[in-house]
Amino acid sequence: MRPRLWLLLAAQLTVLHGSSVLQQTPAYIKVQTNKMVMLSCEAKISLSNMRIYWLRQRQAPSSDSHHEFLALWDSAKGTIHGEEVEQEKIAVFRDASRFILNLTSVKPEDSGIYFCMIVGSPELTFGKGTQLSVVDFLPTTAQPTKKSTPKKRVCRLPRPETQKGPLCSPITLGLLVAGVLVLLVSLGVAIHLCCRRRRARLRFMKQFYK
């Protein structure tokens, strides 16, 4: 049966349940534009007719979602591409029990959920899917900021200040002594003048009463 028919069958599924028979890794991956991506699908059973299909779902799984057939790996023919697929971008190869979908030069429109699938009789078995997100710029990882350890505050008791008196220098002492002497001399002169005036007054009174 042609791959297009399997695509139509997958598009008619109303509910998609992942199986443990096919284990896909990683579950989610984000890459930058024009990079290469490798998606892995490991088969836990031995397949007589070794064929693994890779499908892409561009929107969240729902009854209206559609699966695009990308490529399959055949034990005899190798990679078989789906219609309207850029063959130079997609390749499928086998590594023991793992079937790897290799995407090169991815674009934002390549974002979606990628499923691997095997065809049974009559059921279709899907992996749980790998969500691919293609962005122009990857978010940079912020460097952890170093927390500054707060400095311990040391409470210091105020030191008692001793009050120091004014220093008496020899010049200051000399000025003080000179000032005292001037006051004493002025006081002596005032007392002498007062005594002379008193004597003069007494003489005048004696002459007046004679």
Side-chain angles (χ1 to χ4, degrees):
M1 187 177 291
R2 297 180 62 186
R4 180 185 297 178
L5 297 179
W6 297 120
L7 174 60
L8 294 176
L9 287 174
Q12 295 300 320
L13 293 176
T14 57
V15 180
L16 184 62
H17 296 286
S19 171
S20 59
V21 175
L22 299 176
Q23 294 187 359
Q24 291 187 238
T25 55
Y28 175 81
I29 185 171
K30 179 181 287 186
V31 296
Q32 196 170 0
T33 304
N34 296 325
K35 297 296 183 180
M36 183 184 69
V37 183
M38 298 177 68
L39 309 180
S40 175
C41 176
E42 184 175 0
K44 294 298 182 179
I45 59 173
S46 59
L47 303 176
S48 57
N49 183 15
M50 195 68 69
R51 276 195 168 191
I52 294 288
Y53 295 80
W54 279 96
L55 309 174
R56 176 172 59 196
Q57 190 175 35
R58 293 186 183 271
Q59 60 182 1
S62 66
S63 58
D64 297 329
S65 60
H66 298 283
H67 295 74
E68 303 172 71
F69 170 69
L70 301 177
L72 66 87
W73 189 89
D74 184 85
S75 57
K77 299 180 181 180
T79 301
I80 300 177
H81 294 89
E83 297 179 1
E84 300 180 0
V85 172
E86 298 181 43
Q87 298 186 10
E88 64 276 5
K89 289 183 56 176
I90 297 177
V92 182
F93 59 91
R94 181 183 179 184
D95 180 15
S97 61
R98 296 168 63 240
F99 298 86
I100 298 173
L101 175 66
N102 188 66
L103 304 173
T104 59
S105 301
V106 293
K107 305 294 182 183
E109 53 267 23
D110 294 322
S111 300
I113 304 176
Y114 288 74
F115 296 94
C116 60
M117 180 188 73
I118 56 176
V119 179
S121 179
E123 72 279 356
L124 304 177
T125 303
F126 288 84
K128 293 184 178 181
T130 294
Q131 184 175 354
L132 172 65
S133 178
V134 183
V135 295
D136 292 330
F137 300 98
L138 290 175
T140 56
T141 305
Q143 296 293 331
T145 56
K146 296 182 179 179
K147 294 183 179 180
S148 57
T149 55
K151 296 182 179 180
K152 295 182 178 179
R153 295 183 178 180
V154 180
C155 297
R156 297 180 179 178
L157 296 176
R159 296 179 180 178
E161 296 182 358
T162 56
Q163 296 182 354
K164 297 181 180 180
L167 297 177
C168 296
S169 62
I171 298 176
T172 305
L173 290 175
L175 292 175
L176 289 174
V177 172
V180 172
L181 291 176
V182 170
L183 290 174
L184 291 175
V185 172
S186 301
L187 183 59
V189 172
I191 293 172
H192 178 69
L193 292 175
C194 183
C195 291
R196 288 187 64 180
R197 289 178 181 175
R198 187 175 181 184
R199 289 177 184 174
R201 183 177 179 183
L202 291 174
R203 289 177 184 173
F204 176 77
M205 294 296 292
K206 287 180 180 180
Q207 291 178 1
F208 180 76
Y209 287 108
K210 285 182 178 180

